Amino acid sequence: MGELDYRARQLNEEAEARDALKLKLQSMESKLINGGDVIQKTAIMEKELQEKQRKIAEEKHKADEMRNALKAKEEKAEEVKATFNNLQSEVSSKTKKLTKLFHKLQNAEQEIKDLQEAHRQEIEDLTQTLHDLQRHLVTKQLTINNFIPPCDQEMFYKRTQWMI
């Protein structure tokens, strides 16, 4: 259960980091000129981000369910222990149960590793997306600064409607 708590804390921290990235992305979006191609891409990416956040919440829910199921199985094991009359049958039964639980533990650990890898890949993808958006923004800002006279820029900024 210590690993599950650690995983839950890790998921919470990563969710907070995603929220911070999302706020930063929204801040960047609010600075773009309305109707640009970047806004549409950003909206699509925001939907993808929401979907990935939903998946992470599902993973966290699964981890909680696994933790609750493990507690229930531990309680059931305690009840079974009280019903045994014969010490030898208790030992053989516990050995079988321990083997089953060990296999379940191995499966759960592998699933956690798989989820962590998927989560790491999602973070890398989101980071790459953020870098791409920043690069596009800088390119557009350089284009505006280098090819549109400052007086025209001021006129465009006054007429621009900003999405918030």
Side-chain angles (χ1 to χ4, degrees):
M1 279 208 295
E3 285 186 13
L4 289 175
D5 290 338
Y6 171 75
R7 175 70 178 139
R9 274 187 264 128
Q10 187 180 18
L11 285 172
N12 286 338
E13 290 172 4
E14 291 168 353
E16 290 174 7
R18 264 195 214 85
D19 289 342
L21 283 174
K22 184 178 177 183
L23 288 175
K24 187 174 181 179
L25 182 61
Q26 288 174 347
S27 172
M28 291 171 66
E29 286 177 348
S30 69
K31 295 178 184 176
L32 292 174
I33 296 175
N34 188 15
D37 208 20
V38 175
I39 292 173
Q40 292 172 349
K41 289 180 183 179
T42 303
I44 291 169
M45 288 180 183
E46 184 176 343
K47 287 180 184 177
E48 291 174 354
L49 177 64
Q50 290 172 351
E51 178 64 23
K52 288 179 182 180
Q53 287 175 336
R54 184 191 60 78
K55 286 181 182 179
I56 288 171
E58 286 176 5
E59 291 173 4
K60 183 178 177 184
H61 181 70
K62 284 182 183 179
D64 289 342
E65 287 178 350
M66 288 174 55
R67 187 180 305 115
N68 291 337
L70 183 59
K71 277 185 178 179
K73 289 188 185 231
E74 288 174 349
E75 291 173 2
K76 187 175 181 181
E78 290 297 323
E79 291 174 8
V80 170
K81 180 181 176 182
T83 62
F84 279 121
N85 294 328
N86 186 335
L87 185 60
Q88 188 173 12
S89 65
E90 183 178 351
V91 169
S92 72
S93 177
K94 293 292 182 183
T95 302
K96 289 178 185 178
K97 187 163 243 164
L98 180 61
T99 304
K100 288 179 184 178
L101 290 174
F102 181 71
H103 289 297
K104 287 181 181 181
L105 175 64
Q106 287 178 327
N107 290 339
E109 288 175 346
Q110 184 61 42
E111 185 176 342
I112 288 171
K113 287 178 184 177
D114 293 344
L115 291 173
Q116 287 173 336
E117 179 60 28
H119 182 67
R120 183 194 59 76
Q121 184 62 41
E122 288 176 9
I123 288 176
E124 287 180 11
D125 291 344
L126 289 173
T127 303
Q128 182 62 39
T129 300
L130 180 62
H131 290 301
D132 290 343
L133 286 173
Q134 288 173 338
R135 188 170 12 96
H136 289 298
L137 179 62
V138 167
T139 303
K140 297 210 184 279
Q141 286 175 338
L142 286 173
T143 302
I144 289 170
N145 291 338
N146 289 321
F147 293 105
I148 298 176
C151 62
D152 289 343
Q153 287 180 21
E154 186 176 328
M155 179 186 65
F156 287 138
Y157 282 122
K158 287 180 182 178
R159 290 184 179 179
T160 301
Q161 294 179 353
W162 299 98
M163 292 177 56
I164 296 176

